[in-house]
């Protein structure tokens, strides 16, 4: 980031949420960079930025789409980069139609699928091309990605930005000019985002829009460019790489799905097609190495490396789907590990009510967090919805060891794997997760040791013999060695792998997470490398280890031009050394090291060998950065603006209000407010957006129990504009009650000029800021109502993350009712709005012809309604 | 209190001792002379990483008699260059705050309060319940008759605050047991 010339921070309050990381933004500024902050709130990030632009929460695709349009129409895009390094020249199949043609939908929408079939989004074939894909290098073909992109974003104009995002045309011009000036051969722009982009029902598409923009402007794979995901937990990156996530196996290998991946061959055919380019071609070696790491000698060529030992998915089994299963008594036991869903997950009331349906749960933490005490102190005990004496759930609180009391690695937000040495041993009964689960596994195996049931074979056959110290703590380095991978046979048996290219399909290698291969190369714990920063260059390659292969900037071949020369001296990173005939530079080149820049792939060659010299995006099946995504996105190949669920604004971009493929959970307790234009929408006329504070961490388990942090930030509050405060008579330090269809919470009022109403869709929209760190209980030093109790569960269909940043609400002065009266209060609002379980649950805004997907009775798009100063009835 | 004396006047002291910026002898005292950093008594200093957000700031943990006595930023780290935010700077309290729960607690069905139980006993109870829940909701086939070999009776949530090696064992153990509902904060 320090090398950027423009930093656009959008969907993040980096200065407050990642204060120490923000020093690199400051550093960039000192080197002359410009910083622009786009956010619904004015924060400390805005205060030190060159400019803050207030945006209406949830309208990010309109703004970014307008930047794309501006760059194309004014010929400001990076031509050499786009023509050769992206799929701009690729031609899309004849059957493709976009929102311009289909009133807001892409071709392939199927209401029964609750989303899209992507058959028509594919590339047109060209049997003469080496890679089989039809292209037009002039980018003029009407079905070329570039022309489709141009048409798709043509309606994303500065006027649309003003109307939908509430941003003036002057501010838009400032942003567009800065972006264009700082995206050239000599200059690069970096985009940083955080939960302000992910926590939307179209979060993945927000990020895709920024990727399209960065590719179009040639900012990917270059120093000071790229897209920075600012993540909020010490190893939230690591827990995605080595996933405690249902849909993945380590290293982003898909978790097998019944009916699709029934045999190992099915799994390979579907996941790693062998007639395509790139490193996923070798997915079979990564998968077989994983199975060898898990099941050792029981995984043989004859039994397909025990592939049948893995359970199968039959749909989404994410945390919110699991919650719904709890209500059906479909889940007996629940482990909660260093997380506080009673406060931190969407729809807090349903989270707690769900736990009351469990037979047992295990909470592993440092303190008695609200997830451990809801049965005694939770809000539903106070409201009378639950009675302690009637809750059957058994709860085990198992004290956990903290970061000083165990050794191991965290992977931070730039993929850097950092080792922590153990400083002390844990106190009392406290144990690490490593010891707890190793011990639990041993106990399960002891109980099953005489079993002849085939279903117990995976547990009995898995490799589980990790060396332990005198306290019973397994050796984390031994686990790391297994993750890194090692040879299983031959003269090198037991020797750690140096990199993932050494992984084989014949069972001669094992490796628990292919992208981490190399972290233990040569038997050296590279995550523990600690050459001080001031004793090495800016890339700091001798401080810890970044996956993959200690690369610090991904796809860095794109930092050089077609001939392999840096785009400019100023932005030099890796380049082709003619004499040595290999790629060299300041970073580990992210490209086959000896593949010349002018190398051309040949027909009939696949995998990494098929990468041409101008295919920098080596994980993609065509080696190109995808402006248009023929696959991988469930809700469309190009990001398209739809309104968030229950938005008070009508979508004037298309006659389709909300994303037709958003994931809905229809249930009592998860009702939605009526969207704009529907009766009852005026009952919840405002929008709240949740956020974090510097002094607290997520749901407070690691901060509200600490005296210093509790004193610094003691009480739940809401941020409101002076205009909204005047409308409702809200006073600073007084109380306000915020109401959604899911619940009502109270908060201290902070009236501030940092919040400004925005004009959008012809209405004045008031945005309310709510930190979400507080929860109701008796154990924390500070307690308060939880903002997440207001959230519903409407999910992004790609990643199943809930919408938390643009949610409908009402506000009134004073404290909320107590006891049973609170339930009645929330119901009364719902009744007034006429809400049923089915409100907001139809995916299509208008009825359509099932064949053509055309709107049966086209609506007359009326002028936006004007509700100046909406008030509660 | 002693009587006012011109000789004790700070400006006089500063001028007399030629201490131009007031950071030398004119502001020293016996108390100051005898002050020692608490880190001086540490038996050991180990390099670590802050457990809060994903910036990954370097920490130095000062240890005496198997207790953490101080945590500060690691100036060697090229990421953080010695800095910590309020949370990182407060992380000594994460270790030592008196409210930390160090014993196993158990809440029986319908009970109104916790009881303390032995760690060994709790582990056995959890292992028994794990196998029972696994059995109760075991599925050999899906509705189409395709093998699924899984249990829906056990779920897990958490992983973003614990180590890679720990996540690895959790994923391996649950997958081998047939449990698929494994999730963490990255979904939220």
């Amino acid at each position: 980031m320090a090398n950027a010339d423009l930093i656009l921070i959008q969907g993040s309050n980096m200065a407050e949420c990642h204060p120490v990381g923000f020093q690199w933004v400051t550093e960039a500024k000192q080197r002359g960079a410009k910083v622009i902050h786009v956010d619904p709130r004015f924060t400390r990030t805005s205060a030190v930025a060159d400019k803050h632009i207030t945006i209406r929460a949830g309208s990010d695709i309109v703004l970014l789409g307008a930047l794309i349009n501006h760059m194309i129409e004014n010929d400001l895009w990076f031509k050499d980069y786009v023509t050769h390094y992206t799929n701009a020249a690729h031609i899309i199949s004849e059957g493709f139609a976009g929102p311009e043609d289909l009133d807001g939908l892409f071709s392939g929408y199927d209401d029964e699928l609750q989303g899209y079939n992507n058959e028509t989004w594919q590339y047109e074939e060209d049997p003469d091309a080496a890679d089989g894909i039809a292209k037009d290098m002039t980018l003029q073909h009407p079905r070329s990605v570039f022309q489709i992109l141009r048409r798709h974003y043509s309606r994303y104009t500065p006027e649309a930005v003003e109307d939908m995002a509430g941003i003036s045309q002057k501010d838009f011009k400032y942003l567009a000019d800065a972006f264009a000036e700082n995206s050239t051969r000599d200059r690069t722009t970096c985009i940083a985002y955080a939960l302000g982009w992910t926590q939307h029902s179209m979060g993945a598409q927000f990020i895709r829009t920024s990727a399209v923009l960065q590719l179009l402007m040639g900012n990917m794979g270059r120093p000071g460019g790229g897209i920075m995901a600012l993540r909020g937990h010490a190893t939230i990156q690591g827990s995605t790489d080595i996933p405690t996530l249902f849909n993945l196996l380590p290293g982003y290998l898909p978790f097998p799905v019944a009916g699709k991946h029934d045999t190992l061959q099915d799994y390979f055919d579907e996941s790693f097609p062998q007639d395509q380019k790139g490193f996923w071609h070798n997915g079979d070696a990564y998968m077989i190495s994983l199975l060898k790491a898990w099941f050792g000698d029981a995984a043989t060529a004859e039994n397909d490396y025990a592939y049948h030992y893995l359970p199968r998915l039959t749909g989404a089994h994410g945390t919110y789907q699991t919650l719904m299963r709890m209500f059906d008594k479909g889940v007996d036991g629940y482990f909660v590990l260093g997380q506080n869903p009673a406060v931190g997950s969407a729809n807090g009331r349903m989270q707690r009510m769900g736990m009351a349906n469990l037979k047992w749960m295990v909470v592993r933490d440092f303190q008695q967090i609200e997830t451990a005490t809801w049965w005694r102190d939770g809000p539903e005990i106070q409201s009378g919805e639950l009675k302690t004496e009637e809750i059957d759930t058994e709860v085990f609180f198992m004290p956990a060891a903290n970061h000083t009391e165990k050794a191991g690695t965290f992977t931070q937000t730039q993929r850097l794997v950092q080792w922590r040495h153990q400083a002390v041993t844990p106190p009392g009964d406290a144990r690490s997760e490593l010891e707890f689960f190793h011990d639990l596994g041993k106990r399960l195996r002891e109980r099953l040791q005489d079993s002849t049931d085939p279903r117990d074979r995976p547990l009995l056959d898995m490799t589980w013999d990790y060396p332990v110290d005198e306290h019973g703590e397994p050796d984390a380095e031994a686990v790391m060695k297994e993750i890194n991978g090692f040879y299983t046979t031959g003269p090198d048996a037991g020797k750690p792998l140096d990199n993932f290219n050494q992984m084989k399909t014949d069972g001669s290698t094992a490796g628990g997470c292919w992208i981490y291969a190399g972290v233990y190369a040569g038997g050296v714990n590279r995550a523990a490398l600690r050459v001080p920063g001031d004793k090495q260059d800016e890339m700091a390659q001798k401080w810890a280890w970044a996956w993959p292969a200690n690369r610090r900037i991904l796809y860095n071949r794109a930092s050089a031009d077609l001939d392999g020369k840096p785009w400019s001296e100023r932005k030099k990173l890796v380049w082709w050394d003619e004499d040595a005939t290999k790629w060299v530079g300041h970073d580990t080149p992210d490209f086959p090291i000896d593949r010349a820049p002018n190398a051309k792939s040949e027909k009939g060659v696949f995998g990494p060998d098929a990468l041409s010299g101008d295919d920098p995006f080596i994980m993609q099946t065509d080696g190109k950065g995808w402006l248009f995504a023929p696959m991988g996105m469930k809700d469309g190949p190009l990001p398209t603006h739809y309104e968030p669920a229950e938005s008070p604004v009508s979508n004037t971009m298309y006659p389709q209000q909300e994303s037709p493929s958003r994931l809905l959970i229809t249930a009592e307790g998860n009702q939605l407010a009526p969207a704009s234009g529907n009766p009852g929408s005026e009952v919840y006329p405002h929008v709240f957006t949740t956020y974090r504070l510097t002094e607290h961490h997520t749901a407070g388990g690691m901060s509200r129990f600490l005296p210093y942090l509790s004193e610094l930030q003691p009480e739940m509050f809401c941020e409101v504009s002076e205009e909204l405060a005047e409308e409702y008579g809200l006073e600073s330090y007084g109380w306000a009650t915020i109401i959604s269809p899911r619940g009502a919470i109270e908060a201290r009022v902070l009236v501030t000029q940092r919040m400004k109403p925005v004009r959008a869709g012809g209405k004045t929209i008031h945005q309310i800021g709510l930190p979400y760190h507080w929860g109701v209980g008796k154990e924390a030093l500070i307690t308060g109502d939880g903002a997440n109790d207001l959230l519903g569960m409407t999910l992004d269909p790609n990643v199943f993350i809930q919408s938390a940043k643009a949610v409908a609400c009402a506000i009134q002065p004073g404290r909320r009712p107590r006891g049973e009266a609170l339930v009645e209060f929330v119901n009364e609002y719902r009744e007034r709005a006429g809400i049923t379980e089915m409100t907001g649950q139809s995916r299509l805004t208008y009825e359509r012809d099932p064949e053509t997907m055309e709107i049966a009775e086209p609506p007359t798009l009326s002028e936006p309604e004007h509700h100046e100063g909406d008030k509660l009835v | 209190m002693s009587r006012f004396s011109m000789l004790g006047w700070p400006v006089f002291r500063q001028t007399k001792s030629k201490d131009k910026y007031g950071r030398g002898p004119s502001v020293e005292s016996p108390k100051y002379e005898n002050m020692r950093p608490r880190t001086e008594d540490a038996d050991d200093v180990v390099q670590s990483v802050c457990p809060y957000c994903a910036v990954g700031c370097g920490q130095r943990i000062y240890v005496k008699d198997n207790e953490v006595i101080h945590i500060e930023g690691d100036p060697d780290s090229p990421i953080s260059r010695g800095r910590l935010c309020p949370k990182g700077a407060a992380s000594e309290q994460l270790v030592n705050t008196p409210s930390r729960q160090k014993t196993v607690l158990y809440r029986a069905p319908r009970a109104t309060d916790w009881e303390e139980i032995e760690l060994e006993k709790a582990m056995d109870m959890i292992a028994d319940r794990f196998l029972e829940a696994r059995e109760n909701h075991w599925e050999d086939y899906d509705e189409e008759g395709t093998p699924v070999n899984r249990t829906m009776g056990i779920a897990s949530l958490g992983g973003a605050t614990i180590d890679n090696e720990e996540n690895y064992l959790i994923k391996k153990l649950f997958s081998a047991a047939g449990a698929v509902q494994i999730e963490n904060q990255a979904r939220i």
Side-chain angles (χ1 to χ4, degrees):
Chain A
M1 280 184 113
N3 292 311
D5 300 296
L6 169 68
I7 299 174
L8 170 61
I9 303 174
Q10 186 170 342
S12 154
N13 174 12
M14 190 179 180
E16 291 181 62
C17 296
H18 301 89
V20 181
F22 196 75
Q23 68 181 292
W24 299 105
V25 176
T26 308
E27 179 97 16
K29 248 190 119 180
Q30 283 176 349
R31 296 182 195 180
K34 188 174 265 188
V35 179
I36 301 177
H37 186 219
V38 177
D39 201 274
R41 297 187 301 134
F42 185 95
T43 64
R44 287 177 177 84
T45 305
S46 327
V48 293
D50 292 278
K51 185 163 185 67
H52 169 250
I53 297 173
T54 306
I55 187 173
R56 179 174 67 92
S59 65
D60 301 58
I61 293 178
V62 182
L63 177 62
L64 296 169
L67 286 173
I68 293 170
N69 186 28
H70 175 87
M71 302 307 171
I72 294 176
E73 293 312 319
N74 294 293
D75 225 17
L76 297 164
W77 49 287
F78 198 138
K79 288 181 195 66
D80 284 348
Y81 188 107
V82 170
T83 309
H84 299 280
Y85 295 171
T86 77
N87 66 357
H90 293 26
I91 294 171
I92 302 301
S93 83
E94 233 168 325
F96 173 76
E100 291 300 308
D101 317 302
L102 290 177
D103 292 331
L105 299 188
F106 289 95
S107 49
Y109 185 78
D110 183 340
D111 211 27
E112 271 177 34
L113 275 180
Q114 304 179 355
Y116 287 100
N117 175 329
N118 65 13
E119 250 168 58
T120 55
W121 308 350
Q122 303 306 306
Y123 296 142
E124 186 161 285
E125 288 176 19
D126 176 2
D128 296 330
D131 58 5
I133 302 168
K135 300 179 199 75
D136 172 17
M137 298 310 284
T138 69
L139 312 185
Q140 295 307 308
H141 192 289
R143 280 186 285 113
S144 68
V145 162
F146 188 76
Q147 293 300 328
I148 290 174
L149 190 75
R150 175 196 292 256
R151 281 199 303 279
H152 179 75
Y153 287 109
S154 59
R155 69 170 63 229
Y156 291 69
T157 58
E159 292 76 20
V161 172
E162 184 159 42
D163 182 41
M164 294 305 282
I167 295 171
S168 71
Q169 295 189 34
K170 191 174 147 222
D171 283 354
F172 175 74
K173 187 172 184 325
Y174 177 91
L175 173 62
D177 288 348
F179 211 106
E181 281 161 20
N182 291 296
S183 304
T184 64
R185 284 173 176 259
D186 263 326
R187 305 179 75 80
T188 50
T189 292
C190 173
I191 298 181
Y193 76 91
L195 285 296
W197 272 0
T198 59
Q199 289 183 334
H200 288 276
S201 51
M202 298 191 307
Q205 294 284 13
F206 282 20
I207 299 157
R208 271 280 302 149
T209 328
S210 72
V212 171
L213 181 61
Q214 287 295 59
L215 285 169
L216 194 67
M217 302 309 285
N219 284 319
M220 296 306 284
R222 300 179 63 202
I227 301 168
M228 298 285 297
L230 301 166
R231 310 193 69 176
H233 289 67
T235 198
I236 197 155
Q237 183 60 51
S239 63
T240 318
D241 305 333
I242 299 173
T244 32
L245 295 171
F246 83 88
N247 56 330
L248 292 172
L249 287 167
Y252 302 92
L253 301 170
F255 206 96
V257 176
K260 197 157 93 170
H261 301 140
D262 294 337
T263 67
L264 186 59
Q265 195 56 50
D266 292 343
Y267 179 83
F268 290 157
D269 291 346
E270 206 275 333
S271 312
F272 321 118
Q274 292 297 293
D275 57 352
Q276 289 173 336
K277 285 185 188 186
F279 277 85
W280 279 119
H281 184 272
N282 299 347
D284 49 0
Y286 313 148
M287 180 65 174
I288 289 172
S289 296
L290 171 66
L291 291 167
K292 283 298 288 180
W294 282 13
F295 301 116
D297 293 340
T300 63
E302 291 69 38
N303 71 0
D304 272 347
Y305 301 99
Y307 175 69
H308 63 291
Y309 279 10
L310 295 179
R312 300 292 194 267
L313 309 179
T314 50
H317 310 299
T319 184
Y320 295 111
Q321 286 85 7
T322 298
L323 174 65
M324 298 317 295
R325 263 191 86 90
M326 290 179 194
F327 285 99
D328 297 335
K329 300 278 180 193
V331 183
D332 287 0
Y334 194 30
F335 290 85
V336 183
L337 317 169
Q339 201 166 327
N340 192 5
V343 177
S345 289
N347 204 330
R349 176 179 165 276
M350 285 188 78
Q351 296 289 336
R352 298 179 294 265
M353 300 289 273
M355 288 190 267
N357 283 285
L358 295 165
K359 285 192 178 168
W360 52 271
M361 61 187 293
V362 175
V363 180
R364 290 186 44 81
D365 220 294
F366 311 138
Q367 304 273 355
Q368 289 184 44
I369 55 171
E370 289 76 9
T371 299
T373 60
W374 56 270
W375 49 270
R376 191 183 63 191
D377 310 328
E380 289 68 35
I381 305 293
Q382 294 174 17
S383 69
E385 291 172 278
L386 291 174
K387 289 192 174 59
T388 302
E389 298 81 359
E390 291 170 8
I391 298 170
D392 286 324
T393 313
E394 282 180 293
V395 186
F396 295 88
F397 182 91
M398 307 297 286
N402 65 39
H403 74 296
T404 68
E405 295 159 357
K406 60 187 182 186
T409 54
F410 287 150
T411 305
Q412 55 81 275
T413 198
Q414 289 162 296
R415 300 169 284 102
L416 197 65
V417 187
Q418 300 191 96
W419 182 264
R420 297 183 332 272
H421 295 279
Q422 185 177 10
V424 293
T425 52
D429 292 339
R431 290 170 140 198
S432 66
E433 262 63 30
L434 208 61
E435 184 177 353
F436 176 83
F437 282 101
H438 185 238
D439 184 4
L440 179 63
K442 284 201 301 187
R443 285 172 207 254
L444 298 177
R445 281 151 61 101
E446 273 164 27
R447 282 162 172 73
L448 298 172
Q449 59 185 334
D450 299 324
S451 165
T452 54
D453 192 330
R455 79 173 60 155
D456 296 330
R457 286 317 321 162
L459 268 179
L460 294 168
D461 287 343
M462 73 174 175
T463 56
W464 206 245
D465 294 325
Y466 300 102
V468 297
D469 70 9
E470 69 271 27
H471 306 289
E473 172 77 9
D475 179 5
E477 212 165 281
V479 180
M480 180 195 256
K481 182 184 167 187
E482 181 178 320
I483 294 170
N484 174 84
F486 54 90
Y487 290 98
T488 59
T489 55
D492 290 333
K495 194 182 146 205
L497 301 179
D498 293 330
N499 58 63
F500 53 78
N501 291 321
Q502 294 172 341
M503 288 185 166
K504 297 279 183 295
T505 54
D506 62 2
S508 65
T509 57
C513 182
W514 71 277
I515 53 178
Y516 280 58
V519 68
Y520 203 66
V524 176
N525 180 350
R526 285 158 201 272
L529 293 183
R530 287 293 181 275
V531 174
D534 57 11
K535 302 270 189 308
Q536 48 176 333
D537 69 17
E538 209 167 56
M539 282 286 137
Q541 287 210 319
K542 292 176 188 139
W543 180 275
W545 184 89
W547 71 261
N550 207 19
R551 280 181 194 115
R552 305 295 163 121
I553 295 180
L554 285 180
Y555 301 124
N556 57 29
R557 189 262 171 260
S559 70
D561 67 12
L562 278 174
D563 301 324
K565 298 191 181 72
W567 290 109
S568 67
E569 190 57 29
R570 194 163 172 263
K571 295 288 165 178
K572 199 171 176 178
L573 183 61
V574 304
W575 57 90
W576 176 253
D577 183 332
E578 290 282 356
D579 303 326
T581 60
K582 62 175 189 176
W583 291 93
V584 296
H586 305 309
D587 194 3
T588 312
D590 193 4
F591 204 63
I593 194 82
D594 55 356
R595 188 74 37 87
N598 59 359
K600 289 281 166 241
S601 63
E602 284 169 37
K603 258 183 122 162
V605 180
F606 305 109
D609 291 343
L611 290 166
S612 293
D614 61 353
D615 286 337
F617 295 91
I618 60 169
M619 299 309 294
Q620 301 294 88
T621 52
D622 53 3
K624 306 299 183 191
W626 283 3
L627 298 170
F628 178 102
M631 56 186 173
M633 300 299 288
K634 292 190 175 145
D635 45 357
L638 287 171
T640 307
H641 173 74
Y642 303 108
E643 281 297 308
E646 55 186 29
S647 172
V649 172
S650 296
N651 190 0
T652 55
M653 303 291 283
Y654 307 99
Q656 169 66 31
Q657 172 74 6
E658 290 142 344
S659 167
S661 25
R662 69 197 185 279
L663 214 145
L664 294 159
I665 292 180
T666 312
E668 161 70 32
N670 195 45
Q671 290 96 329
L672 293 170
S676 173
N678 291 292
S681 63
E682 72 285 355
V683 176
Y684 304 94
H686 311 305
V687 172
F688 74 83
T689 189
T690 62
Y691 63 89
R692 294 203 288 140
L693 302 165
T694 307
E695 296 80 6
H696 283 298
H697 186 245
T698 316
M702 286 164 66
S703 61
R704 282 185 291 107
F705 294 81
L706 272 49
Y708 289 158
L709 298 174
S710 297
E711 189 175 340
L712 286 167
Q713 213 43 278
E715 207 166 8
M716 171 66 186
F717 60 91
C718 60
E719 275 188 74
V720 297
S721 67
E722 291 177 339
E723 292 84 351
L724 188 68
E726 194 181 319
E727 195 174 319
Y728 288 96
L730 303 170
E731 287 173 11
S732 277
Y733 308 110
W735 290 92
T737 295
I738 300 107
I739 310 104
S740 86
R742 278 75 55 183
I745 63 163
E746 64 186 21
R748 291 283 187 182
V749 175
L750 174 62
V751 180
T752 171
Q753 294 179 358
R754 299 194 302 241
M755 300 299 291
K756 291 268 183 222
V758 288
R759 289 285 301 174
K763 296 181 188 177
T764 298
I765 302 297
H766 292 285
Q767 309 192 90
I768 299 167
L770 293 178
Y772 76 94
H773 303 291
W774 281 269
V776 175
K778 293 203 174 90
E779 303 294 331
L781 294 172
I782 50 170
T783 59
D785 283 358
N788 286 347
D789 285 13
L790 299 177
L791 295 183
M793 297 177 282
T794 302
L795 315 179
D796 178 299
N798 299 291
V799 294
F800 315 115
I801 291 177
Q802 78 286 343
S803 169
K805 298 295 181 187
V807 183
C809 69
I811 191 165
Q812 64 177 50
R815 305 190 71 164
R816 63 166 166 78
R818 297 313 204 242
E820 280 174 39
L822 176 63
V823 182
E824 286 162 24
F825 178 74
V826 174
N827 281 343
E828 190 268 324
Y829 266 80
R830 278 205 294 245
E831 278 165 26
R832 190 137 47 84
I835 291 173
T836 71
E837 275 176 41
M838 294 317 294
T839 302
Q841 301 285 318
S842 53
R843 287 189 169 71
L844 295 175
T845 311
Y846 296 100
E847 233 174 276
R848 288 171 187 255
D849 181 314
E851 287 300 311
T852 61
M853 287 321 277
E854 279 169 11
I855 293 176
E857 287 175 46
T860 41
L861 280 182
S862 57
E863 282 296 300
E865 302 160 55
H866 288 261
H867 292 280
E868 203 58 54
D870 276 322
K871 273 205 184 228
L872 287 185
V873 186
Chain B
M1 225 183 126
S2 59
R3 271 180 42 196
F4 176 77
S5 155
M6 279 296 283
L7 297 174
W9 195 34
V11 174
F12 179 78
R13 287 206 313 258
Q14 198 176 332
T15 316
K16 190 174 167 231
S17 60
K18 299 199 167 85
D19 183 8
K20 192 174 169 191
Y21 297 106
R23 292 190 297 205
S26 68
V27 291
E28 286 172 2
S29 68
K31 189 179 170 192
Y32 169 89
E33 281 292 307
N34 294 326
M35 272 174 128
R36 290 283 171 269
R38 59 178 171 273
T39 52
E40 202 171 75
D41 299 331
D43 310 328
D44 200 6
V45 186
V46 304
Q47 283 182 304
S48 191
V49 180
C50 180
Y52 286 95
C53 86
V55 170
C57 300
Q59 289 192 336
R60 286 190 181 174
I61 317 260
Y62 291 81
V63 180
K64 186 176 166 60
D65 301 331
N66 197 36
E67 282 194 13
V68 172
I69 55 168
H70 184 69
I71 295 179
E72 65 184 26
D74 185 350
D76 285 351
S77 168
I79 300 168
S80 54
R81 298 191 288 197
R83 296 161 173 128
L84 290 175
C85 79
K87 292 191 287 290
S91 57
E92 180 271 330
Q93 288 191 335
L94 187 72
V95 183
N96 293 326
T97 195
S99 65
R100 186 166 169 201
Q101 182 62 39
K102 295 172 189 161
T103 52
V104 174
L105 297 175
Y106 171 68
R107 186 259 173 180
R110 305 188 172 221
T112 54
D113 210 345
W114 294 112
E115 57 184 290
E116 286 199 6
I117 63 170
E118 293 291 320
L119 175 63
E120 274 297 307
K121 187 180 169 195
M123 289 304 295
D124 276 331
M125 289 168 78
I126 294 166
D128 290 340
R129 280 156 183 73
F130 189 104
L131 289 178
E132 196 189 323
R134 177 173 176 258
E135 197 64 29
N136 285 346
H137 299 276
W138 186 267
E139 297 174 357
D140 285 314
Y141 301 97
D142 69 3
E143 287 164 4
E144 323 264 287
T146 311
V148 291
N149 294 324
R150 71 180 184 193
T151 181
M152 300 302 279
I154 305 160
S156 176
L157 183 67
T161 56
I162 59 178
D163 300 350
N164 288 320
E165 293 73 19
E166 297 176 324
N167 276 291
Y168 181 75
L169 285 203
I170 294 166
K171 185 72 173 183
K172 183 174 176 180
L173 176 67
F174 279 94
S175 298
V180 293
Q181 298 164 112
I182 315 304
E183 288 278 274
N184 74 48
Q185 186 77 35
R187 189 75 73 206
I188 292 162

